[in-house]
Amino acid sequence: MSSDNYVIPPPAPASVAIAGSQARFPVRRIICVGRNYAAHAREMGRDPDREPPFFFLKPADTVVDDGAAVPYPPETSNFHYEIELVVAIGKDGANIPVKRALDHVWGYGVGIDLTRRDLQLQAREQGRPWDWGKGFDHSAPIAPLRPVAEVGHPSSGRIWLSVDNAVKQDSDIAKLIWPVPDIIAIASHSMTLKAGDLIMTGTPEGVGPVMPGETMRGGVDGIGQITIPVFASAF
């Protein structure tokens, strides 16, 4: 459809860089998995042995490229980092069996689920959605994706994040409570996964605040690294 058929100009499509390429990966939506590392679940006051995986969404246009500075967001005094393995879906599917789940993966990346923790916890205590704590502007920095043909399907490897070179999170993706095939299969029984979907698979323990003037750096061994500075916003 031509842009002339819209009553206002359509927004530019959201996308994520691809390592070693000028091409980009179009982002349809961002599906996030909550409390998918046991130590982080306990850190957040939950019992990982009793809870099935749950999901929440971030808008596609919250993506931020590696190296871009993000503003300290409004309405929070507790702005947190959460380093995550990101899965890029390249093939549509619904009711996907676990044994076929990896067939739907285009590639992998590293992301940071930025969180207004005070707003998230307030919403949780009131039984309300997390959207204002999780889905705000610039809340999904994601490093360039790497295709499966290059990195395979990682099931182990160090995942870490530092703030101004002080390591805050340091774990291994082997500690995911629900590994990537399970996440894909479970999510696909609730909604059809489509090419362009990104799945942020959860964060390990050590989450905490980041302030204006500080820089977050993180990575997953064999997948990539990400660097995101934070600046004071005049919002």
Side-chain angles (χ1 to χ4, degrees), residues 24 87 131 138 142-143 163-164 189 191 200:
R24 295 182 66 88
V87 180
D131 300 58
H138 316 293
I142 296 176
V163 177
D164 283 357
H189 281 74
M191 60 178 72
M200 301 186 78

Side-chain angles (χ1 to χ4, degrees), residues 5-95:
N5 295 107
Y6 294 97
V7 297
I8 60 173
S15 65
V16 174
I18 296 172
S21 174
Q22 294 299 312
R24 295 182 66 88
F25 186 88
V27 180
R28 177 173 178 263
R29 62 186 167 192
I30 305 171
I31 301 168
C32 304
V33 185
R35 296 191 292 265
N36 201 22
Y37 287 79
H40 175 59
R42 296 187 183 98
E43 181 177 63
M44 296 301 292
R46 292 295 188 263
D47 184 346
D49 298 322
R50 294 184 178 180
E51 294 187 357
F54 71 93
F55 302 89
F56 59 92
L57 302 176
K58 286 178 180 275
D61 65 359
T62 60
V63 293
V64 177
D65 277 345
D66 176 39
V70 301
Y72 195 94
E75 298 190 327
T76 186
S77 58
N78 200 16
F79 184 38
H80 276 210
Y81 52 78
E82 297 188 6
I83 190 72
E84 311 210 4
L85 173 69
V86 177
V87 180
I89 299 297
K91 176 183 174 183
D92 297 1
N95 297 316

Side-chain angles (χ1 to χ4, degrees), residues 22 24 28 106 118 143 154 161 165:
Q22 294 299 312
R24 295 182 66 88
R28 177 173 178 263
W106 183 89
D118 41 5
L161 181 138
N165 299 317

Side-chain angles (χ1 to χ4, degrees), residues 113-133:
D113 171 13
L114 293 175
T115 302
R116 295 193 285 198
R117 186 72 71 201
D118 41 5
L119 300 189
Q120 181 205 14
L121 295 180
Q122 181 181 23
R124 190 180 80 178
E125 291 167 2
Q126 296 174 341
R128 295 176 178 175
W130 289 6
D131 300 58
W132 250 229

